[in-house]
Amino acid sequence: MQDGAEQPPDVDPRDEPAPFGAVVLLTVAAAAGVMVLGALAPSALNLKFLLFGPITLVVFEIAVHEVWWKRWWGAIPGAVLGLACYFEGREALADIIGDAWAHPIAYVTAWALFAAAFAWCSRYPRKLS
């Protein structure tokens, strides 16, 4: 057997956490893409569209990396943190830089926070073997 080439047979790949960097960067890229598309075609931007892109990407990451269902609990605190960041951040930024920039910045930041909380929480619970 080569050094680190094979995993022991009792290791379940579903116990692997979500890849932090990939989930955060891809979610931020999707959110930024939604904001760019919204700037190019403002009539196409509605609530369903605002939620569809990044959520679809996170679901894709879960399916591709086979993150076990016990690790999905991170979506709950991620959603709470993201929503709080969006609504509070948008209000605070609107006072400073205006609503035209506050909405996209708060939107992308909220999805980044959601993805970071989800990926971090996917590391728990851990096996104690």
Side-chain angles (χ1 to χ4, degrees), residues 61-73:
E61 286 293 318
I62 290 170
V64 167
H65 294 288
E66 296 181 37
V67 178
W68 196 21
W69 68 270
K70 288 185 178 178
R71 300 193 183 277
W72 294 0
W73 70 273

Side-chain angles (χ1 to χ4, degrees), residues 25-39 49 54 104 107-109 111-112:
L25 288 176
L26 290 174
T27 304
V28 167
V34 167
M35 286 293 101
V36 168
L37 185 59
F49 185 70
Y107 178 80
V108 173
T109 304
W111 277 111

Side-chain angles (χ1 to χ4, degrees), residues 23-122:
V23 169
V24 173
L25 288 176
L26 290 174
T27 304
V28 167
V34 167
M35 286 293 101
V36 168
L37 185 59
L40 297 175
S43 63
L45 203 60
N46 60 29
L47 183 60
K48 291 178 186 176
F49 185 70
L50 286 173
L51 296 175
F52 181 71
I55 287 177
T56 303
L57 185 62
V58 170
V59 169
F60 173 75
E61 286 293 318
I62 290 170
V64 167
H65 294 288
E66 296 181 37
V67 178
W68 196 21
W69 68 270
K70 288 185 178 178
R71 300 193 183 277
W72 294 0
W73 70 273
I76 296 169
V80 170
L81 290 172
L83 287 171
C85 173
Y86 175 73
F87 289 113
E88 295 300 322
R90 182 177 178 178
E91 290 296 320
L93 284 172
D95 292 341
I96 298 170
I97 60 174
D99 196 44
W101 282 99
H103 171 64
I105 292 171
Y107 178 80
V108 173
T109 304
W111 277 111
L113 190 56
F114 168 79
F118 170 76
W120 183 75
C121 290
S122 76

